Amino acid sequence: MPRLAIVYLSTQGSTKMMAEAVAEGAREKHIDVDVDNFYEWDPAEVAKYDAICIGSSTFYYTMLEPIAKFLDKLIDIGIEGKLGAAFGSYGWSGEAPVLIAEKLRKAGVEVIDPVLRIQYIPNEKDLAECIRLGKDLAIKMKKRE
Ligand SMILES: Cc1cc2nc3c(=O)[nH]c(=O)nc-3n(C[C@H](O)[C@H](O)[C@H](O)COP(=O)(O)O)c2cc1C
């Protein structure tokens, strides 16, 4: 079964809610999913998954340094050719998910659309979009098998 790693940074839980919903969507399509806060993950482990989904909320018009460093480590290890997705909650500008997607694409990851950004706390409709992203990712993963 293809495996999906979902890694997130979330200060108040909004991006975490998104991450759990993406996981739910992928699991509905029978993908083996592990979802956790970035500080619970070892980048070397994440690099072994078939697909990598990274989420971060936006702070001061960018992503916070710990998740940026995590991403750099992951890219140094090598994730070229994998499938990916980027997401995150934001307040008013929402750069972090866009920057994550850019970094992943530069590293040779096929990042699927949409780069999902939800303003503040996700509502039911927002969570349905996250579930949809998880399903889309799962379908793409299966096509690659
Ligand atoms: C100190 C601080 C700085 C922030 N800076 C930004 C910002 O530059 N752009 C933006 O879109 N949102 C900004 N936000 C809003 C957060 O991204 C937003 O509250 C988000 O929902 C937090 O999600 P999380 O609970 O997953 O961390 C900021 C919030 C705080 C507390």
Side-chain angles (χ1 to χ4, degrees), residues 36-74:
D36 222 332
N37 206 302
F38 78 95
Y39 54 70
E40 301 288 348
W41 281 104
D42 173 359
E45 281 305 309
V46 175
K48 291 179 188 165
Y49 283 69
D50 303 290
I52 300 168
C53 191
I54 311 258
S56 173
S57 43
T58 298
F59 287 88
Y60 308 109
Y61 306 102
T62 187
M63 66 186 113
L64 287 174
E65 206 174 323
I67 190 82
K69 282 190 172 160
F70 185 96
L71 203 46
D72 287 342
K73 275 189 205 156
L74 186 61

Short mmCIF file of all heavy atoms in Angstrom, two decimals, residues 36-74:
data_model
loop_
_atom_site.label_atom_id
_atom_site.label_comp_id
_atom_site.label_asym_id
_atom_site.label_seq_id
_atom_site.Cartn_x
_atom_site.Cartn_y
_atom_site.Cartn_z
N ASP A 36 1.45 13.88 11.75
CA ASP A 36 1.96 14.35 13.04
C ASP A 36 2.60 15.72 12.91
O ASP A 36 2.97 16.15 11.81
CB ASP A 36 2.99 13.35 13.60
CG ASP A 36 2.79 13.13 15.09
OD1 ASP A 36 2.30 14.04 15.77
OD2 ASP A 36 3.13 12.03 15.55
N ASN A 37 2.73 16.37 14.05
CA ASN A 37 3.44 17.63 14.16
C ASN A 37 4.89 17.45 13.71
O ASN A 37 5.47 16.40 13.95
CB ASN A 37 3.42 18.03 15.64
CG ASN A 37 3.53 19.50 15.81
OD1 ASN A 37 4.49 20.11 15.36
ND2 ASN A 37 2.56 20.07 16.46
N PHE A 38 5.47 18.45 13.09
CA PHE A 38 6.81 18.29 12.52
C PHE A 38 7.85 17.86 13.56
O PHE A 38 8.77 17.12 13.24
CB PHE A 38 7.26 19.58 11.80
CG PHE A 38 7.72 20.65 12.74
CD1 PHE A 38 9.06 20.81 13.03
CD2 PHE A 38 6.80 21.48 13.36
CE1 PHE A 38 9.48 21.79 13.93
CE2 PHE A 38 7.21 22.46 14.25
CZ PHE A 38 8.55 22.61 14.54
N TYR A 39 7.70 18.32 14.81
CA TYR A 39 8.73 17.96 15.78
C TYR A 39 8.66 16.51 16.24
O TYR A 39 9.57 16.03 16.92
CB TYR A 39 8.77 18.93 16.97
CG TYR A 39 7.48 19.15 17.71
CD1 TYR A 39 6.92 18.15 18.50
CD2 TYR A 39 6.83 20.38 17.64
CE1 TYR A 39 5.74 18.35 19.19
CE2 TYR A 39 5.64 20.60 18.33
CZ TYR A 39 5.11 19.58 19.10
OH TYR A 39 3.93 19.78 19.77
N GLU A 40 7.62 15.81 15.85
CA GLU A 40 7.54 14.36 16.10
C GLU A 40 8.16 13.55 14.96
O GLU A 40 8.31 12.34 15.07
CB GLU A 40 6.08 13.93 16.27
CG GLU A 40 5.33 14.60 17.40
CD GLU A 40 5.78 14.12 18.77
OE1 GLU A 40 6.50 13.11 18.86
OE2 GLU A 40 5.41 14.79 19.76
N TRP A 41 8.48 14.24 13.86
CA TRP A 41 8.98 13.53 12.68
C TRP A 41 10.50 13.66 12.56
O TRP A 41 11.05 14.70 12.87
CB TRP A 41 8.40 14.14 11.41
CG TRP A 41 7.01 13.76 11.02
CD1 TRP A 41 5.88 14.53 11.17
CD2 TRP A 41 6.60 12.57 10.35
NE1 TRP A 41 4.80 13.88 10.65
CE2 TRP A 41 5.20 12.68 10.14
CE3 TRP A 41 7.26 11.42 9.92
CZ2 TRP A 41 4.47 11.67 9.50
CZ3 TRP A 41 6.53 10.42 9.29
CH2 TRP A 41 5.15 10.55 9.10
N ASP A 42 11.12 12.61 12.02
CA ASP A 42 12.52 12.67 11.61
C ASP A 42 12.50 12.86 10.09
O ASP A 42 11.89 12.05 9.38
CB ASP A 42 13.17 11.32 12.01
CG ASP A 42 14.58 11.18 11.48
OD1 ASP A 42 15.06 12.11 10.80
OD2 ASP A 42 15.19 10.14 11.76
N PRO A 43 13.15 13.90 9.57
CA PRO A 43 13.11 14.14 8.12
C PRO A 43 13.54 12.91 7.31
O PRO A 43 13.00 12.65 6.23
CB PRO A 43 14.09 15.30 7.91
CG PRO A 43 14.20 15.96 9.23
CD PRO A 43 13.92 14.94 10.28
N ALA A 44 14.50 12.14 7.85
CA ALA A 44 14.97 10.95 7.12
C ALA A 44 13.85 9.92 6.96
O ALA A 44 13.79 9.20 5.96
CB ALA A 44 16.15 10.33 7.85
N GLU A 45 12.95 9.86 7.94
CA GLU A 45 11.80 8.94 7.86
C GLU A 45 10.79 9.46 6.82
O GLU A 45 10.26 8.69 6.02
CB GLU A 45 11.11 8.81 9.23
CG GLU A 45 11.82 7.87 10.18
CD GLU A 45 12.04 6.49 9.59
OE1 GLU A 45 11.06 5.90 9.08
OE2 GLU A 45 13.18 6.00 9.61
N VAL A 46 10.53 10.77 6.88
CA VAL A 46 9.55 11.37 5.95
C VAL A 46 9.98 11.11 4.51
O VAL A 46 9.15 10.80 3.64
CB VAL A 46 9.42 12.90 6.22
CG1 VAL A 46 8.50 13.54 5.19
CG2 VAL A 46 8.90 13.16 7.63
N ALA A 47 11.29 11.21 4.27
CA ALA A 47 11.82 11.05 2.90
C ALA A 47 11.57 9.65 2.34
O ALA A 47 11.69 9.44 1.13
CB ALA A 47 13.31 11.38 2.89
N LYS A 48 11.22 8.69 3.20
CA LYS A 48 10.98 7.31 2.73
C LYS A 48 9.54 7.11 2.22
O LYS A 48 9.24 6.09 1.62
CB LYS A 48 11.22 6.32 3.88
CG LYS A 48 12.69 6.22 4.28
CD LYS A 48 12.83 5.23 5.43
CE LYS A 48 14.23 5.24 6.00
NZ LYS A 48 14.29 4.58 7.31
N TYR A 49 8.65 8.07 2.48
CA TYR A 49 7.25 7.90 2.07
C TYR A 49 7.08 8.14 0.56
O TYR A 49 7.89 8.82 -0.05
CB TYR A 49 6.35 8.86 2.86
CG TYR A 49 6.09 8.39 4.28
CD1 TYR A 49 7.12 8.37 5.23
CD2 TYR A 49 4.84 7.95 4.67
CE1 TYR A 49 6.89 7.92 6.52
CE2 TYR A 49 4.60 7.52 5.97
CZ TYR A 49 5.62 7.49 6.88
OH TYR A 49 5.39 7.06 8.16
N ASP A 50 6.00 7.62 0.00
CA ASP A 50 5.73 7.80 -1.43
C ASP A 50 5.25 9.21 -1.73
O ASP A 50 5.50 9.76 -2.79
CB ASP A 50 4.66 6.80 -1.89
CG ASP A 50 5.09 5.38 -1.59
OD1 ASP A 50 6.02 4.91 -2.26
OD2 ASP A 50 4.52 4.76 -0.66
N ALA A 51 4.50 9.78 -0.78
CA ALA A 51 3.98 11.15 -0.96
C ALA A 51 4.14 11.91 0.35
O ALA A 51 4.06 11.34 1.44
CB ALA A 51 2.53 11.12 -1.40
N ILE A 52 4.38 13.22 0.20
CA ILE A 52 4.67 14.06 1.36
C ILE A 52 3.81 15.31 1.31
O ILE A 52 3.82 16.05 0.31
CB ILE A 52 6.17 14.46 1.38
CG1 ILE A 52 7.06 13.20 1.43
CG2 ILE A 52 6.47 15.40 2.54
CD1 ILE A 52 8.52 13.47 1.18
N CYS A 53 3.06 15.52 2.37
CA CYS A 53 2.15 16.65 2.43
C CYS A 53 2.60 17.53 3.61
O CYS A 53 2.73 17.03 4.73
CB CYS A 53 0.76 16.06 2.67
SG CYS A 53 -0.57 17.17 2.49
N ILE A 54 2.88 18.81 3.33
CA ILE A 54 3.43 19.67 4.38
C ILE A 54 2.52 20.86 4.62
O ILE A 54 2.10 21.54 3.67
CB ILE A 54 4.83 20.21 3.98
CG1 ILE A 54 5.73 19.09 3.50
CG2 ILE A 54 5.44 21.05 5.12
CD1 ILE A 54 6.75 18.58 4.45
N GLY A 55 2.21 21.12 5.89
CA GLY A 55 1.33 22.24 6.23
C GLY A 55 1.96 23.16 7.25
O GLY A 55 2.65 22.70 8.17
N SER A 56 1.71 24.46 7.07
CA SER A 56 2.16 25.43 8.08
C SER A 56 1.27 26.66 8.04
O SER A 56 0.88 27.11 6.96
CB SER A 56 3.60 25.86 7.82
OG SER A 56 3.96 26.91 8.71
N SER A 57 0.98 27.20 9.21
CA SER A 57 0.31 28.49 9.25
C SER A 57 1.33 29.58 8.94
O SER A 57 2.54 29.32 8.94
CB SER A 57 -0.36 28.70 10.60
OG SER A 57 0.46 28.28 11.65
N THR A 58 0.83 30.77 8.64
CA THR A 58 1.68 31.89 8.23
C THR A 58 1.95 32.82 9.42
O THR A 58 1.01 33.19 10.13
CB THR A 58 0.99 32.69 7.10
OG1 THR A 58 0.81 31.84 5.98
CG2 THR A 58 1.81 33.91 6.69
N PHE A 59 3.20 33.16 9.61
CA PHE A 59 3.59 34.14 10.64
C PHE A 59 4.54 35.14 10.04
O PHE A 59 5.53 34.74 9.42
CB PHE A 59 4.23 33.44 11.85
CG PHE A 59 3.21 32.70 12.65
CD1 PHE A 59 2.89 31.40 12.34
CD2 PHE A 59 2.52 33.34 13.67
CE1 PHE A 59 1.90 30.72 13.04
CE2 PHE A 59 1.53 32.67 14.38
CZ PHE A 59 1.23 31.37 14.06
N TYR A 60 4.24 36.40 10.22
CA TYR A 60 5.08 37.49 9.71
C TYR A 60 5.39 37.28 8.23
O TYR A 60 6.53 37.35 7.81
CB TYR A 60 6.37 37.60 10.55
CG TYR A 60 6.08 37.69 12.03
CD1 TYR A 60 6.37 36.63 12.89
CD2 TYR A 60 5.45 38.82 12.57
CE1 TYR A 60 6.08 36.70 14.25
CE2 TYR A 60 5.16 38.89 13.93
CZ TYR A 60 5.47 37.83 14.76
OH TYR A 60 5.17 37.89 16.09
N TYR A 61 4.35 36.96 7.47
CA TYR A 61 4.40 36.85 6.01
C TYR A 61 5.27 35.70 5.51
O TYR A 61 5.72 35.72 4.35
CB TYR A 61 4.84 38.19 5.38
CG TYR A 61 3.95 39.32 5.86
CD1 TYR A 61 4.38 40.20 6.86
CD2 TYR A 61 2.65 39.46 5.37
CE1 TYR A 61 3.54 41.19 7.35
CE2 TYR A 61 1.81 40.45 5.85
CZ TYR A 61 2.26 41.31 6.84
OH TYR A 61 1.43 42.28 7.32
N THR A 62 5.52 34.73 6.34
CA THR A 62 6.31 33.57 5.90
C THR A 62 5.97 32.37 6.78
O THR A 62 4.99 32.40 7.53
CB THR A 62 7.83 33.91 5.92
OG1 THR A 62 8.55 32.84 5.33
CG2 THR A 62 8.35 34.18 7.33
N MET A 63 6.77 31.29 6.69
CA MET A 63 6.57 30.16 7.60
C MET A 63 7.55 30.31 8.76
O MET A 63 8.62 30.93 8.58
CB MET A 63 6.74 28.82 6.88
CG MET A 63 8.13 28.53 6.37
SD MET A 63 8.18 27.02 5.40
CE MET A 63 8.54 27.67 3.77
N LEU A 64 7.25 29.76 9.89
CA LEU A 64 8.15 29.88 11.04
C LEU A 64 9.43 29.09 10.77
O LEU A 64 9.42 28.09 10.05
CB LEU A 64 7.46 29.38 12.31
CG LEU A 64 6.38 30.31 12.87
CD1 LEU A 64 5.67 29.65 14.05
CD2 LEU A 64 6.94 31.66 13.30
N GLU A 65 10.51 29.57 11.38
CA GLU A 65 11.84 29.01 11.10
C GLU A 65 11.94 27.49 11.32
O GLU A 65 12.57 26.80 10.51
CB GLU A 65 12.88 29.74 11.94
CG GLU A 65 14.24 29.68 11.28
CD GLU A 65 15.26 30.52 12.02
OE1 GLU A 65 14.89 31.60 12.51
OE2 GLU A 65 16.41 30.08 12.11
N PRO A 66 11.36 26.93 12.39
CA PRO A 66 11.53 25.47 12.59
C PRO A 66 10.99 24.62 11.44
O PRO A 66 11.63 23.63 11.07
CB PRO A 66 10.74 25.19 13.87
CG PRO A 66 10.60 26.50 14.55
CD PRO A 66 10.64 27.56 13.49
N ILE A 67 9.88 25.03 10.85
CA ILE A 67 9.34 24.22 9.74
C ILE A 67 10.15 24.49 8.47
O ILE A 67 10.36 23.58 7.65
CB ILE A 67 7.81 24.42 9.53
CG1 ILE A 67 7.21 23.41 8.55
CG2 ILE A 67 7.45 25.81 9.11
CD1 ILE A 67 6.88 22.08 9.11
N ALA A 68 10.67 25.71 8.32
CA ALA A 68 11.53 26.02 7.17
C ALA A 68 12.80 25.15 7.24
O ALA A 68 13.22 24.57 6.22
CB ALA A 68 11.90 27.49 7.15
N LYS A 69 13.36 25.04 8.45
CA LYS A 69 14.58 24.23 8.62
C LYS A 69 14.29 22.75 8.36
O LYS A 69 15.09 22.04 7.76
CB LYS A 69 15.14 24.40 10.03
CG LYS A 69 15.89 25.70 10.19
CD LYS A 69 16.64 25.73 11.50
CE LYS A 69 17.56 26.95 11.55
NZ LYS A 69 17.94 27.30 12.93
N PHE A 70 13.13 22.30 8.84
CA PHE A 70 12.72 20.91 8.63
C PHE A 70 12.65 20.61 7.13
O PHE A 70 13.15 19.60 6.65
CB PHE A 70 11.36 20.67 9.29
CG PHE A 70 10.90 19.25 9.24
CD1 PHE A 70 11.13 18.40 10.31
CD2 PHE A 70 10.26 18.74 8.11
CE1 PHE A 70 10.72 17.07 10.26
CE2 PHE A 70 9.86 17.42 8.05
CZ PHE A 70 10.08 16.58 9.14
N LEU A 71 12.04 21.53 6.42
CA LEU A 71 11.86 21.38 4.98
C LEU A 71 13.21 21.35 4.27
O LEU A 71 13.44 20.53 3.37
CB LEU A 71 11.01 22.56 4.48
CG LEU A 71 10.22 22.45 3.20
CD1 LEU A 71 9.46 21.15 3.12
CD2 LEU A 71 9.27 23.63 3.09
N ASP A 72 14.12 22.21 4.68
CA ASP A 72 15.46 22.24 4.08
C ASP A 72 16.19 20.91 4.31
O ASP A 72 16.83 20.39 3.40
CB ASP A 72 16.28 23.40 4.64
CG ASP A 72 15.80 24.75 4.10
OD1 ASP A 72 15.09 24.75 3.08
OD2 ASP A 72 16.11 25.78 4.72
N LYS A 73 16.04 20.36 5.53
CA LYS A 73 16.69 19.08 5.83
C LYS A 73 16.12 17.98 4.93
O LYS A 73 16.86 17.16 4.38
CB LYS A 73 16.45 18.68 7.29
CG LYS A 73 17.44 19.30 8.25
CD LYS A 73 17.26 18.67 9.64
CE LYS A 73 17.75 19.63 10.71
NZ LYS A 73 17.13 19.41 12.01
N LEU A 74 14.81 17.99 4.81
CA LEU A 74 14.12 16.99 3.98
C LEU A 74 14.60 17.07 2.54
O LEU A 74 14.88 16.05 1.90
CB LEU A 74 12.62 17.28 4.07
CG LEU A 74 11.65 16.32 3.43
CD1 LEU A 74 11.77 14.94 4.06
CD2 LEU A 74 10.21 16.83 3.61
#
